[in-house]
Each structure stands twice: as C-alpha cells, then as structure tokens.
Amino acid sequence: MRGDVAILVPAAGLGVRMGPGAPKALRLLAGEPLLLHAVRNVAVAPSVGLIVVAAPPADVAPVRAMLAEQPVPIAVVAGGPTRQASVACALDAVPREYDLVLVHDAARALAPPALIESVAAKLRAGSSAVIPALPVVDTIKQVGDGAEVIATIDRSALRAVQTPQGFRRSTLAAAHAIAVDNHTDDAGLAERAGVRVDTVPGDELAFKITRPFDLAVAEALIASGATSVRVR
Ligand code: C5P
C-alpha cells in the first residue's frame, strides 16, 4: 500500500548536547543539513504520503525552501518548546484522511526507509501503537545520589527504543490530549493512556545523532556506504 501514512518529523530542538551552533537539525552532516538527510530517507518510503516537519520557529521559511524538492508533499510548521509540543503542532497539520501517523526524530537521520515500512505494516496488521526496539547490550546499573551502585538491572527484558513510532491517528491524538507531564517519546504518552504498544525489530542505523561523537559516527557510516543516504 502506498501513501497512506503521514509522518511527523520533530526537528525544533536546539541540540544543546551537540555544543554551540545552529539548531541541531540544521547542522551539517556530510555537507548537508541533518534534517535534509532525515527527510530524504523518509520521502522514499513507499508508505509515506505526507511529511510534516516541526522546525525551529525562527527557521520555518528557510526549512521550507530547503525541503522544496522532495517526491512527496511536505508541510513545515513552527515547533514548540518541548519535543512533545512540537509533535502536537505537527499533528494539528495532518489532514483527517490519514489514519496512520508516524513520528520520527530528525535526529535519527540515517534510519532506513525499510524501518518505516516495518512500523507501518504492523499498524496495518491491527496494532494501535508500534515502536522499533533493540536489545540492550550494556549491563545496566541503578545508581544513587553519590553515583554509587544500588542495583544491577536484569537486561534481558530491557529494550532501547527508537523512532519512527507509529500510531492510529486517534490513538496519538487522544494520548496528546490527556498528556499532563512531559515525555521523551510518544509511546510513553500512549502507555500512560493505557494503550498496548507493540514492538518491531529496530535498526542500528536509526541511532539518535545527539553528541559530536554521534555526528562523527554518522559521517563515517555515510563515507563507508553503509547507509542508504544519497549524498550529492
Ligand atoms: O532532545 P531530543 O534529542 O530528545 O530530541 C529528539 C527530537 O525532537 C529531535 O529531532 C529534536 O529536533 C526534536 N525536538 C523538537 N522540539 C523541541 C525539542 C526537540 O522538535 N522543542
């Protein structure tokens, strides 16, 4: 099935952990803005019929111009002060005909289109909410105020989760409508609303580019040809 998914791309973060500079989505990766890489990968996924980007409020016009030449329609709206607020702004811009809505961090710029297809397929198969998840490889400890170890957590049941996270539109809208506290992902809101959240296998290429180290890893992956990102 083609084009039945609207995908929201929150890209309004400042990127404080990346160090001083432009908003993170506009920083360069292999010579082009991170957001352009992210949107290109999204735009080639056959399921995607509409992309709604939440841009830094001061950069809506340049972001719109930067994303003008994509194969699917793109709307650019001003993001909010938190990721959650940015997602809510983008969701407001989705026309009613889209029943399936995915949310995908611009910072996960190298996520392969196949991951979008996998999440969308699970939604079409009947799930209300779907997230990509990977096993945790490190041993995880709980620590106290003095950085002393309190406990070792059994990692066998733990997962590191990624985006795109997919929802029936009504599920995502209802979860945002009743949100009182701030969540770092949309599945957290859905869980809070009592929705069953299913998982599909994640992809290492969907890692979040947060710190300078991550940017260096992303550059190396692109240079090695390991990603599906097309570079000019
Ligand atoms: O800050 P964090 O790394 O969790 O951000 C994840 C994604 O949410 C990034 O793509 C970032 O641009 C976006 N974001 C946003 N609006 C904010 C803060 C973060 O769209 N106010």
Side-chain angles (χ1 to χ4, degrees):
M1 195 186 288
R2 285 186 79 89
D4 61 339
V5 165
I7 186 159
L8 318 180
V9 181
L14 294 176
V16 174
R17 288 166 291 183
M18 195 62 84
K24 184 165 70 181
L26 303 179
R27 300 207 189 187
L28 298 186
L29 167 61
E32 295 180 302
L34 202 64
L35 177 59
L36 185 54
H37 289 278
V39 166
R40 273 197 199 129
N41 273 334
V42 165
V44 296
S47 289
V48 172
L50 172 69
I51 301 170
V52 183
V53 174
D59 297 303
V60 169
V63 165
R64 209 169 266 150
M66 177 178 96
L67 301 176
E69 304 288 322
Q70 297 301 320
V72 290
I74 300 192
V76 181
V77 301
T82 62
R83 181 188 181 281
Q84 193 168 309
S86 294
V87 172
C89 293
L91 183 58
D92 278 346
V94 176
R96 291 275 150 210
E97 65 256 32
Y98 285 98
D99 179 40
L100 306 183
V101 178
L102 270 53
V103 186
H104 184 44
D105 292 336
R108 298 183 188 272
L110 303 186
L115 193 58
I116 292 171
E117 295 306 310
S118 161
V119 170
K122 185 91 175 160
L123 285 175
R124 288 188 200 109
S127 291
S128 295
V130 180
I131 62 176
L134 287 175
V136 173
V137 291
D138 290 314
T139 297
I140 306 290
K141 308 269 187 196
Q142 182 186 352
V143 296
D145 291 342
E148 80 284 10
V149 171
I150 293 174
T152 302
I153 314 292
D154 174 12
R155 72 178 177 204
S156 63
L158 299 182
R159 299 291 180 272
V161 310
Q162 305 177 317
T163 72
Q165 299 192 342
F167 306 88
R168 308 222 150 257
R169 181 210 176 90
S170 54
T171 303
L172 185 61
H176 273 266
I178 63 162
V180 281
D181 42 6
N182 195 36
H183 288 253
T184 52
D185 77 345
D186 300 280
L189 283 175
E191 290 156 40
R192 198 59 192 272
V195 174
R196 173 186 161 123
V197 178
D198 292 312
T199 63
V200 293
D203 191 304
E204 285 174 346
L205 288 175
F207 72 106
K208 189 159 73 165
I209 300 170
T210 304
R211 303 185 184 93
F213 175 83
D214 306 316
L215 206 50
V217 171
E219 297 261 4
L221 285 166
I222 291 172
S224 75
T227 72
S228 57
V229 175
R230 290 159 292 148
V231 184
R232 275 184 310 200

